[in-house]
Amino acid sequence: PGEEWNPELEKKINECDLFLLFWSGNARDSEWVIKEVRLALARKKGISEALPYIQPIPLELPLVPPPPELGHLHFNDSILYFIEKEVQR
């Protein structure tokens, strides 16, 4: 409590090797999530092999389209389909 989010988020994103992007409709609509993604992308400086590795983890079906700047990443996760089938039982 009492910490300023923005400097702490920037610090953590600049230190991480792996950026897990939990993706949903709510994430797409969150200004903070998009800001964090852009920070991670800026750190990569356009080099796909550079850190942090960005790993999208979709959380809902139908899949929510990613923002254009993440269009190069694969968002479709077959595990979602198994989860959906199990929930439908």
Side-chain angles (χ1 to χ4, degrees):
E3 276 191 72
E4 290 187 40
W5 276 100
N6 201 34
E8 192 62 24
L9 284 172
E10 284 186 39
K11 177 183 170 193
K12 296 299 183 188
I13 291 170
N14 283 325
E15 294 173 349
C16 74
D17 293 337
L18 174 63
F19 181 89
L20 296 175
L21 174 59
F22 295 93
W23 192 246
S24 66
N26 287 333
R28 175 200 56 211
D29 298 339
S30 167
E31 109 182 37
W32 280 100
V33 171
I34 299 304
K35 185 175 188 173
E36 293 166 15
V37 165
R38 288 185 176 144
L39 282 169
L41 287 169
R43 181 173 164 212
K44 293 174 79 62
K45 298 179 182 168
I47 302 169
S48 61
E49 297 83 22
L51 296 176
Y53 176 74
I54 299 173
Q55 176 64 54
I57 301 170
L59 298 176
E60 64 187 32
L61 287 172
L63 289 173
V64 177
E69 56 262 65
L70 293 176
H72 64 286
L73 296 176
H74 183 70
F75 272 69
N76 194 5
D77 188 341
S78 59
I79 293 172
L80 274 177
Y81 294 96
F82 292 111
I83 292 170
E84 181 184 47
K85 294 297 179 193
E86 191 62 31
V87 168
Q88 289 176 355
R89 284 184 177 193

